[in-house]
Amino acid sequence: MERKVRILVAKPGLDGHDRGARVVARAFRDAGFEVIYTGLRQTPDQIAEAALQEDVDVVALSILSGAHNTLLPRTVAALRARGLSDVLVVAGGVIPAEDIPGLKAAGIAEVFTPGTPTRAAIEFISQHVKLG
């Protein structure tokens, strides 16, 4: 039996809206991924600890609060501090185009902005996560 890609969907910060994260989580599940959803208002350390405990392949961060330039790099740093350098980190939400290069430099593999079809995220993950 082939192992499924394990994805942690997380909402960093004080953002109180998770409809988009739930839609994405459902799309990932429907695509055959195993999905763990952390719920609202997670700190970077809580997200990284959950990723470690759940042994995930991907951390998908959903953010609408405008704190992406702070919270997303901190989450990547928390993951790396736990030895999770092989975990693919993607993000989605209301993120201005001019902020995307800095986020990618900080370790976010891809950023999906509003209106991006969920299929694009599924395909990106499928192409970048190889299970051995």
Side-chain angles (χ1 to χ4, degrees):
M1 180 181 223
E2 188 175 320
R3 183 173 80 79
K4 293 181 178 185
V5 172
R6 290 176 59 87
I7 302 176
L8 181 78
V9 176
K11 294 285 299 177
L14 299 177
D15 184 356
H17 301 281
D18 69 346
R19 180 176 288 164
R22 290 177 183 267
V23 167
V24 170
R26 169 59 65 89
F28 287 164
R29 205 171 3 254
D30 290 349
F33 299 146
E34 188 173 342
V35 178
I36 300 101
Y37 176 55
T38 63
L40 294 168
R41 299 181 184 92
Q42 299 293 301
T43 68
D45 282 325
Q46 287 173 318
I47 293 166
E49 194 58 32
L52 177 65
Q53 295 301 318
E54 294 290 347
D55 191 28
V56 298
D57 304 298
V58 180
V59 171
L61 301 168
S62 171
I63 190 159
L64 304 172
S65 68
H68 51 273
N69 286 329
T70 301
L71 292 173
L72 301 187
R74 284 185 186 170
T75 303
V76 171
L79 289 164
R80 303 309 181 238
R82 287 167 175 78
L84 301 176
S85 59
D86 58 338
V87 171
L88 182 74
V89 183
V90 297
V94 180
I95 298 172
E98 59 268 17
D99 293 343
I100 294 173
L103 293 173
K104 287 186 174 183
I108 304 296
E110 189 59 87
V111 176
F112 303 98
T113 55
T116 302
T118 54
R119 190 88 204 123
I122 292 163
E123 289 172 5
F124 183 87
I125 291 167
S126 296
Q127 291 170 1
H128 290 85
V129 175
K130 303 300 180 207
L131 301 178

